[in-house]
Each structure stands twice: as C-alpha cells, then as structure tokens.
Amino acid sequence: MGSKNKLKRFKENETFLNLIQPSREIVFEGRFELKGGWNSIYFKNNNPIVLELGCGKGEYTLHLAESNPKINYIGIDIKGARIWRGAKTAFEKGLKNVAFLRTQIELLTQLFSKDEVDSIWITFPDPQIKSRRAKHRLTNPDFLDRYRKILKPKGVVNVKTDSEFLYGYTLGIIECEYGKVIYSHNDIYNNPNSPNEAKAVQTFYEKTFLKQGRQIAFIKFNFD
C-alpha cells in the first residue's frame, strides 16, 4: 500500500466514532476513561464483552458481531491502515455492538479492568518461531497473565492457528502452568467433533491457508 493511501486511511480513522486510538501518555497516566467503563460508557448496555487480539481488518470481529447482536465485540490491532477496514465496514453497516481499539496488546491491563472481559479470540497470530522472539508470542506466559487479569471467572481464550509449532507450544504452556484446556485439535476441518464456533468464520488468510493444504488448529481454554 502506498504512503498516500495510508495517510488517507489514518486521517479517516480520526472520523470514526467506533475506533478508539488512545495515546500512550493517556494510557500510562491512567487517564483512559473507558477502562472499567466499556459497557456503561461506550456500549451503554450490560452485554458480554469479547476481544479479538491482532484483529487485522476485523473480519472475525465483524462476522461475530453480526451473528451475535447481544454480545459486544472489540477488535484490537496496532496497524492503523488495517484496522481502518474493520472500523469503516462496521460504520457502514451500522453495527452498534462493535468497537475497534488501536493499541498494543501489551497494554491490555491498562485498557480493561479486572473481570471486565468475557472471552478472547486470538486468530492466526505470528508464531514467532525464533527463540529470541518468544516474548512476542501472544500465548507466552506474560501475555496469559494479562488475559487472566481482565477475564471474568471461567472466561475463555480461543486460539486459531495454522502453525503446528504455536499449537504445540500453546498447549504445553497451558497444560503445564497456566490453565485448563476445554478443547483442542490440530485439524478442525477434518474432525467432525470440532465446535461450530471454531469453523464459523474464515478470514482471507485462513481461506488461503486451506487452499495451500495447511491444517487449522484450535484451542479453547480457561484459567480455572
């Protein structure tokens, strides 16, 4: 994408009421007013809150929001040119149960209060295979601690990946230290017992992976 198109999207992002872009200064100074108030201030209801981390263009968030109007969805990504697509589509469709948050996932505990989130989706994250990149894996112990702090009791984390490495790594972390696996399978499209929620949405990248013959894995777990 050319720099002019990116700048145009960044400018348009500023006009979307469904796209929140807090400055790091506001976040680190504890002045982010939606923390603890996503339902009361933004959504103005008491419906469950579901996050999609690394939402990209928001395909997953948008599909889930359209399918479940009584649930509030928040797509989170740092890439402004990508998140623009999700925010624009949600605006054009008039979806009131969707928000997009442009920020780093590392800041989750400064953006959401304890027990504020009902569930989390992590869809096709970068597996960060090299050991020096381990701290960036979205299922490493540091990130899992963040999720635990904002999830309600029995709140679940859902992970979809085409990476055999990340699938095995995540299962190992959960089973050894961090939680309870509710469901897992390394090839959900060749398993008739896979839950519908694991197959209900196929992003552009997932469709591409399937055409390439890659297996799609799914893990659902909580911290009980």
Side-chain angles (χ1 to χ4, degrees):
M1 180 186 299
S3 58
K4 288 185 179 180
N5 283 337
K6 282 189 176 181
L7 291 174
K8 181 179 178 181
R9 290 185 177 187
F10 292 158
K11 192 68 176 178
E12 193 170 6
N13 280 345
E14 297 175 3
T15 70
F16 295 140
L17 297 179
N18 62 358
L19 175 55
I20 297 94
Q21 303 183 87
S23 69
R24 290 178 68 85
E25 181 182 15
I26 287 175
V27 172
F28 281 114
E29 290 180 358
R31 295 188 287 118
F32 183 64
E33 67 173 0
L34 290 180
K35 180 179 179 178
W38 280 97
N39 274 357
S40 60
I41 299 173
Y42 183 86
F43 292 110
K44 294 180 171 57
N45 60 47
N46 292 316
N47 294 338
I49 292 176
V50 176
L51 309 183
E52 184 193 359
L53 307 182
C55 69
K57 296 179 181 179
E59 295 168 90
Y60 228 91
T61 295
L62 292 168
H63 182 94
L64 292 173
E66 288 186 279
S67 302
N68 304 286
K70 297 298 184 181
I71 297 177
N72 300 323
Y73 292 90
I74 303 173
I76 300 176
D77 206 295
I78 192 60
K79 301 290 187 179
R82 293 179 187 172
I83 209 169
W84 165 87
R85 179 68 271 169
K88 187 175 179 69
T89 299
F91 172 76
E92 292 172 342
K93 291 186 174 183
L95 297 175
K96 303 300 183 183
N97 63 326
V98 179
F100 288 91
L101 179 59
R102 187 186 177 195
T103 190
Q104 293 173 306
I105 297 170
E106 289 88 340
L107 303 180
L108 277 181
T109 55
Q110 290 153 293
L111 299 163
F112 297 90
S113 291
K114 183 178 184 293
D115 300 343
E116 191 169 15
V117 174
D118 289 78
S119 64
I120 292 172
W121 281 87
I122 306 172
T123 52
F124 301 98
D126 188 328
Q128 308 287 1
I129 293 175
K130 294 182 179 180
S131 58
R132 69 174 183 271
R133 301 287 299 174
K135 66 179 181 180
H136 298 292
R137 294 174 195 150
L138 293 186
T139 55
N140 77 25
D142 288 341
F143 277 110
L144 294 185
D145 280 339
R146 292 181 175 94
Y147 308 154
R148 187 203 305 264
K149 289 175 181 176
I150 64 174
L151 279 169
K152 292 180 179 178
K154 299 186 182 300
V156 299
V157 180
N158 306 281
V159 180
K160 285 183 77 172
T161 180
D162 65 307
S163 169
E164 183 178 350
F165 165 80
L166 187 67
Y167 175 71
Y169 169 84
T170 302
L171 280 180
I173 293 292
I174 297 166
E175 292 176 342
C176 290
E177 303 179 48
Y178 281 89
K180 176 184 176 182
V181 175
I182 300 169
Y183 174 89
S184 69
H185 199 277
N186 69 336
D187 189 5
I188 57 174
Y189 291 104
N190 286 304
N191 176 16
N193 297 318
S194 295
N196 289 332
E197 62 187 322
K199 301 182 286 187
V201 188
Q202 289 184 2
T203 65
F204 170 81
Y205 289 109
E206 182 172 355
K207 291 175 181 176
T208 300
F209 296 151
L210 290 169
K211 287 180 181 178
Q212 294 172 348
R214 298 195 202 180
Q215 295 179 350
I216 305 300
F218 177 71
I219 307 170
K220 182 174 185 175
F221 66 95
N222 62 23
F223 296 103
D224 287 352

